[in-house]
Amino acid sequence: MRRINAIALLYAFLMLWLCSCSQTVQKTGEDVAKNPISFAQEPIIFSEEKSPEYDMEKHEFVCKKGEYFGSSVVLDDVLYFESGSYAEDTGAEIKATISQKSKEGIEALYTEERADGGPIEVNELAYSGGCLFWSYRDEDIIAIRMYSLKNKEAQTLTSYPVDTAVLILESDQRFLSWYVVPQEGLPSLYVYDTDENEIRCLSNDIGYDNPYTRAYIQDGITSYIENFGDDERRLIIYDLESNKELQSYILPQEMEQISVQANRNYVVVREGYYGDEFYILDSKSCKFLKIDYSICHGADPFSWHLLGDNIFINSHGRGGYEDKIVILSLVDYSVSWIPLENSVIGARATALDRFSAYYTFLNKKNEVVTNVISFTFCE
């Protein structure tokens, strides 16, 4: 009888301890979320100019009539790209080929083409976990396709109804992310773990402001905006490797549109999808510190990426200033830039680790010539 009572007491104590731990974790999350972000009065001024250190490789592609050059990604001195052909009478894409370009030349890896010759749409080429991924759409479905570089085989990762909005892909070396935007209701954020071969839904309450929103990933960290009622939006920092939420912040109401990128050291936001104001989040004070990079005269951000300890800004020149890639160092607050001959029409960043990355973009010279320029940065 005493033994039974002792076991019962032990069980009751264990359940009480587990409940206590659960409440503690929940309370910690609530405390973080209750700390709204405010704005610091003093900005961070980037004043020192430095010369950037990088390796550059340029690929030139000439498209014949009825052909196009699409998205691309660089990895280990190999350029992977999507190209194809379209119907001259309708302009619809009818054939898309995923290829690789290396020192040995160009090799076609896989071709997307309907048996009946009907229209398709292929875009958003990305790399993760030894596979290439791209978005695919025809008159029946929209899907994410994947191609194993080891097995040389393609398959459908997942698919959605054809009225789903375009799937915008982002990735690091292990994870692939995308938003699913239905015709009704709030968007959802999904992540594919290439190590575990599983798809996870991180949120069904995404605060989605732009059809080209990306859930950037770096160091296994992603960030996104969630809706909590009509008047509250939260900035979520999520650790994909441990599969848990790290931080949750209430955004200032005056920040109606932002894009966010994060890694294990920094959280950076851009106010407005086409604005020129950037902020660094100080997690200790819960304040946004404005980035003053006015030393870059005529900078007009088109797109941007947080890579390691740097912010890369693809700037279309204005007021007579040249197009350039602006690099802001978050270590010493220095500025460097790389001038460009022509405007960038699309850019992708591939982070290899915290200290190295490929920055690849399309640099359209004219209607038939497209340059793919790849910068390799190492710290």
Side-chain angles (χ1 to χ4, degrees), residues 279-293:
Y279 297 86
I280 299 175
L281 175 62
D282 184 341
S283 58
K284 294 182 179 179
S285 65
C286 284
K287 290 183 181 294
F288 276 137
L289 286 73
K290 186 176 181 179
I291 296 175
D292 183 345
Y293 61 106

Side-chain angles (χ1 to χ4, degrees), residues 57 59 74-79 101-103 358 376:
E57 188 169 359
H59 307 269
V74 171
L75 188 69
D76 296 334
D77 298 326
V78 178
L79 171 70
K101 181 182 180 183
S102 63
K103 295 179 180 178
Y358 294 117
T376 306

Side-chain angles (χ1 to χ4, degrees), residues 340-353:
L340 302 174
E341 294 180 359
N342 305 289
S343 295
V344 173
I345 60 173
R348 292 297 292 271
T350 305
L352 303 181
D353 50 45

